[in-house]
Amino acid sequence: MERGLLCLVLLAGPAPLALFAARSARSGTGEPAPALRMLIALVVYLSLQASVGVLLGALWLLGLPALVAAELALAGAGAALLGFASPSAERERGRNTPSPAYDAATPLIAAAAAGSLAVLAGLVVTRPVTDYDSLLYHLPTMANWVQHGGLLPYEQFRLEQIGVYPYTWEVVCSIFFLPLRDDTLVTLPNLAAWAAFGLASYRLG
């Protein structure tokens, strides 16, 4: 139960701020389409998670107490911003701003994407990580950070090119390493990244 609550806090912490950013988005042609709002929310969510991880790691505070406090602070800030947003202003903006054109394919695409992500999420949490590069340096680097509470370079690759690899994504994944102290949830952020890539491709198309 306790671990489940920890996972929920770490997963949902940046969500209110991401939702606020998506709701506040403006477009030169009117209200942003739902796909664009979802993309904005995902990008903001992942950016906030990366920022929290990098900051705590740089301060040698990469552990559950500081991480939970940071995620709760993000959640509180997002909830406050959402709460302070004026409903009357939102309604007025809705009346004065053209709505995006309805695309009948969008609900079908969204349903297919949601179903695919649900299946992938099940696979992610039930299958161990076995690919070569993850076992060689991705997971060891994250484990090294979690053990030391900071962004300590992995000694085995300190003097190699792989030792200066841009590890921002590993920082995000480390957040999901901490609650269970294993790799069960560590690839969950990949689902958000895949969804963002898919939405960006859809928008570009």
Side-chain angles (χ1 to χ4, degrees):
M1 180 65 176
E2 180 181 349
R3 289 185 175 183
L5 288 175
L6 283 174
C7 293
L8 181 61
V9 168
L10 301 186
L11 182 67
L17 274 174
L19 178 59
F20 175 77
R23 283 181 55 182
S24 303
R26 299 291 190 274
S27 171
T29 58
E31 285 291 307
L36 181 56
R37 288 193 184 276
M38 291 172 62
L39 178 59
I40 292 170
L42 285 170
V43 170
V44 171
Y45 174 88
L46 293 173
S47 298
L48 288 171
Q49 291 285 37
S51 299
V52 166
V54 169
L55 179 62
L56 294 182
L59 295 175
W60 296 92
L61 294 172
L62 191 60
L64 275 177
L67 184 57
V68 169
E71 297 283 356
L72 288 175
L74 287 179
L81 288 172
L82 288 172
F84 288 143
S86 169
S88 59
E90 287 290 322
R91 288 193 296 269
E92 183 66 23
R93 184 165 65 90
R95 284 196 295 267
N96 296 332
T97 307
S99 298
Y102 177 76
D103 182 357
T106 299
L108 297 177
I109 294 172
S116 299
L117 287 174
V119 172
L120 289 171
L123 294 176
V124 159
V125 300
T126 57
R127 293 188 177 183
V129 178
T130 58
D131 51 291
Y132 176 78
D133 60 341
S134 292
L135 297 178
L136 177 65
Y137 63 94
H138 291 296
L139 288 177
T141 295
M142 288 185 275
N144 187 49
W145 292 341
V146 170
Q147 288 171 359
H148 293 90
L151 303 180
L152 183 71
Y154 190 44
E155 186 64 33
Q156 182 176 345
F157 300 116
R158 179 184 290 271
L159 301 179
E160 298 184 29
Q161 181 179 357
I162 201 172
V164 292
Y165 185 87
Y167 283 102
T168 307
W169 193 247
E170 282 75 11
V171 172
V172 175
C173 294
S174 295
I175 291 174
F176 296 86
F177 192 107
L178 281 161
L180 304 181
R181 308 286 292 191
D182 62 31
D183 64 356
T184 302
L185 306 177
V186 79
T187 55
L188 272 181
N190 290 349
L191 297 180
W194 293 338
F197 287 142
L199 287 167
S201 300
Y202 172 68
R203 290 289 302 171
L204 288 173

